[in-house]
Amino acid sequence: MICKVKKTLCRFSMLNGATEIIVGFSGGADSTCLLYILNSLKDEFNLKIHAVHINHCLRGEESDRDENFVRDFCDKNSIMLSVLRADVLNEAKKAGQSVEEYARNLRYDYFQSLSTETSKIATAHNLNDCEETMIFNLARGSGLKGLCSIPAVRGNIIRPLIECTRDEIEIFCKENNLQYVTDSTNLTDDYTRNKIRHNIIPLLKELNPSFDTSFLRCVTALREDEFFLEKETEKFYNSINLDFGFDADVLSRADNALKNRVIAKIIYDKCKSLPEMKHIEMVVSILSGGKAEIISGETIVVRRGILYFLSDLVCKNFTEEKIIFSGNVWKNDFVKLELNNECTQKIYKDMVLSTLDWDKINGSLFLRKRHDGDKITLPVRKVTKSLKKLFNEMKIIPETRDSLIVLADETSVVWVEGIGADSRVVPDKNTRKFINISMVD
């Protein structure tokens, strides 16, 4: 058993960079086995072991019994222990959450509060827990991610017993004279997970006595597929991520599997909550144009081929004015202009030039919004285009176009935010005085 756990630790690189393992210790067979094994390996891996127990105060004297057992076990084995007591029932009601959800969040929040950059958090989830979770997720209509069940590693959380069965764990405890406590709620069918454990899993094992082995083979293959799709999702997500919003036209043409995953990531990154399939389908339905209200009151809009969140629209409000330098500097809340004898600006991404030749400015310089008919000649391609056409090509959201800063002299536009300088005023080898332009954070 210890060898099996060591193989799991190595296969999933669970201990990379770790100097401390925070072990969730309920006192049950799984966590007792895990704590015992990790404590026996601490010298080999040069680790500090820190056990953590949460008393949820849900089972009266039984909860206190578990806490006393945990304290006694850690004391006898010289293991550092932290205990948190919480009135989960009442706190869950105040938070408007189920008891299970609140208790889970409480546990992981407490684990994380005790961790450092070199800590790993070990929980005692085993192979049978994975089976129950997959069946539970299957019943709820989960996709591939849900069918992958409990991951072996998630951030700094590791599960060294993830490939061990509950039978193996109980045999190990017996062989090593490890006492443990039993949560009486695990013996009833009051909870969905218990119904799966007591009724469905035994039927599956009647159909296939080697169900545990078959399940492990199945879930391993599913996780490999999920890992590949996650990498492809990240690549595609980055490819359609524009300066503002996402390219809805390209997204709409993607394969459904990739499309749905990217939409889920877009929603999660914004809302920090996993979307349901109905939210994803709502977004798919508006990719050609429209809007949909999703999680937390957020509204997704698709317009002119751009997908964006309504709450992300930030329109600058500024006054059109003639620029008169005070010394060598002029600035407002959004942009700063500085006269200099040197070119201090660089060529930005997308060839956004932020330096002008002062001597090429014709008459006065004005800061304003775009006007109908405004044009600019791009320095690199020497092509003259209207701002309207450029904004369309660059997929700039219509609602934000009138808040982009335009600099113009008495002849024409000389610089546009997000586009850069007109070729007429770009510095050259003869330039002696520069106007360096920078946006104010």
Side-chain angles (χ1 to χ4, degrees):
M1 180 76 168
I2 292 179
C3 290
K4 190 172 186 178
V5 170
K6 285 175 66 175
K7 287 180 181 178
T8 300
L9 291 171
C10 295
R11 177 160 52 252
F12 294 101
S13 303
M14 290 183 174
L15 300 180
N16 282 4
T19 60
E20 176 191 48
I21 307 294
I22 295 170
V23 185
F25 186 29
S26 68
D30 299 344
S31 63
T32 300
C33 172
L34 176 64
L35 182 58
Y36 179 86
I37 291 176
L38 291 177
N39 195 51
S40 69
L41 295 173
K42 66 179 180 181
D43 293 334
E44 181 178 345
F45 289 98
N46 194 26
L47 297 168
K48 181 173 72 173
I49 303 299
H50 182 177
V52 179
H53 178 78
I54 290 88
N55 185 338
H56 300 102
C57 300
L58 289 170
R59 293 175 286 116
E61 292 182 0
E62 189 176 289
S63 292
D64 294 334
R65 176 210 66 183
D66 294 354
E67 180 183 329
N68 291 333
F69 169 82
V70 162
R71 290 184 182 277
D72 185 57
F73 184 94
C74 290
D75 184 57
K76 288 179 178 178
N77 290 278
S78 301
I79 297 172
M80 179 182 176
L81 174 68
S82 294
V83 175
L84 174 68
R85 294 176 65 92
D87 185 358
V88 168
L89 185 61
N90 287 324
E91 292 302 320
K93 288 179 180 177
K94 291 178 185 178
Q97 298 176 352
S98 68
V99 171
E100 293 82 0
E101 180 185 13
Y102 184 86
R104 183 185 184 281
N105 292 337
L106 175 71
R107 286 195 298 274
Y108 283 102
D109 287 347
Y110 188 54
F111 294 155
Q112 295 291 359
S113 73
L114 298 172
S115 68
T116 67
E117 289 184 0
T118 58
S119 298
K120 299 290 184 179
I121 297 168
T123 65
H125 293 95
N126 60 47
L127 185 63
N128 298 110
D129 292 320
C130 290
E131 293 169 354
E132 294 158 13
T133 300
M134 176 195 268
I135 293 170
F136 179 74
N137 289 340
L138 177 64
R140 296 175 63 196
S142 293
L144 178 57
K145 195 176 190 70
L147 297 183
C148 288
S149 192
I150 304 169
V153 177
R154 179 170 60 84
N156 66 339
I157 299 169
I158 62 174
R159 282 136 183 158
L161 301 182
I162 202 72
E163 295 183 344
C164 301
T165 67
R166 192 167 290 119
D167 287 344
E168 289 175 321
I169 290 168
E170 291 178 358
I171 290 170
F172 180 84
C173 288
K174 184 176 181 180
E175 290 175 345
N176 290 273
N177 296 316
L178 293 176
Q179 302 297 312
Y180 54 86
V181 294
T182 300
D183 184 340
S184 61
T185 61
N186 289 335
L187 304 177
T188 71
D189 282 349
D190 293 340
Y191 298 97
T192 302
R193 185 174 291 275
N194 289 356
K195 291 178 181 177
I196 295 171
R197 180 181 305 169
H198 299 151
N199 301 297
I200 298 175
I201 298 293
L203 286 175
L204 291 171
K205 289 185 175 180
E206 281 186 25
L207 292 172
N208 179 9
S210 300
F211 174 74
D212 290 335
T213 302
S214 299
F215 171 82
L216 180 57
R217 186 168 59 248
C218 172
V219 80
T220 299
L222 292 177
R223 286 169 180 163
E224 289 173 352
D225 290 348
E226 173 67 15
F227 180 70
F228 172 77
L229 285 170
E230 281 296 309
K231 288 196 298 182
E232 292 301 303
T233 297
E234 190 69 26
K235 285 196 296 186
F236 187 63
Y237 173 92
N238 292 332
S239 73
I240 66 168
N241 196 346
L242 308 172
D243 289 334
F244 181 85
F246 299 86
D247 192 324
D249 291 337
V250 175
L251 180 58
S252 67
R253 295 192 295 270
D255 184 86
N256 285 340
L258 197 54
K259 181 191 305 178
N260 292 345
R261 283 170 171 267
V262 170
I263 291 172
K265 178 173 172 56
I266 290 171
I267 295 174
Y268 179 80
D269 286 352
K270 175 66 175 180
C271 304
K272 303 305 177 189
S273 180
L274 288 173
E276 297 177 26
M277 195 61 203
K278 65 179 181 182
H279 299 126
I280 295 171
E281 290 172 348
M282 288 167 64
V283 176
V284 170
S285 71
I286 64 164
L287 286 178
S288 60
K291 61 182 179 179
E293 186 172 320
I294 53 170
I295 302 170
S296 305
E298 290 285 354
T299 298
I300 284 184
V301 178
V302 178
R303 187 173 179 187
R304 294 182 181 269
I306 306 296
L307 181 151
Y308 58 95
F309 288 90
L310 202 57
S311 63
D312 285 340
L313 285 178
V314 178
C315 296
K316 296 187 291 292
N317 186 17
F318 59 91
T319 303
E320 299 189 5
E321 58 184 304
K322 180 179 179 180
I323 292 175
I324 301 176
F325 285 92
S326 175
N328 289 326
V329 176
W330 181 95
K331 68 179 295 187
N332 65 7
D333 291 338
F334 309 106
V335 67
K336 176 182 177 182
L337 278 61
E338 185 174 6
L339 295 176
N340 205 301
N341 292 328
E342 296 180 357
C343 177
T344 62
Q345 298 292 335
K346 303 296 182 183
I347 295 179
Y348 284 73
K349 184 180 74 171
D350 299 328
M351 303 304 292
V352 177
L353 303 179
S354 295
T355 305
L356 314 181
D357 186 326
W358 169 257
D359 293 319
K360 294 178 180 177
I361 300 298
N362 183 18
S364 298
L365 189 62
F366 301 90
L367 178 141
R368 61 173 174 80
K369 300 178 180 181
R370 64 170 179 152
H371 291 171
D372 288 341
D374 276 345
K375 297 180 180 180
I376 190 170
T377 301
L378 303 175
V380 177
R381 291 184 288 162
K382 302 297 184 183
V383 174
T384 301
K385 292 189 177 185
S386 68
L387 295 190
K388 180 178 180 180
K389 185 172 183 178
L390 276 174
F391 289 163
N392 286 336
E393 290 177 357
M394 296 172 67
K395 297 185 180 295
I396 295 174
I397 304 302
E399 292 89 341
T400 65
R401 295 179 183 183
D402 286 334
S403 72
L404 294 177
I405 292 172
V406 174
L407 297 180
D409 62 12
E410 294 179 10
T411 298
S412 61
V413 170
V414 298
W415 182 86
V416 181
E417 178 186 351
I419 295 176
D422 184 273
S423 63
R424 176 171 64 87
V425 295
V426 169
D428 55 37
K429 64 181 181 180
N430 298 315
T431 301
R432 296 292 177 265
K433 195 171 187 179
F434 301 88
I435 305 175
N436 294 313
I437 305 168
S438 57
M439 302 306 296
V440 177
D441 293 332

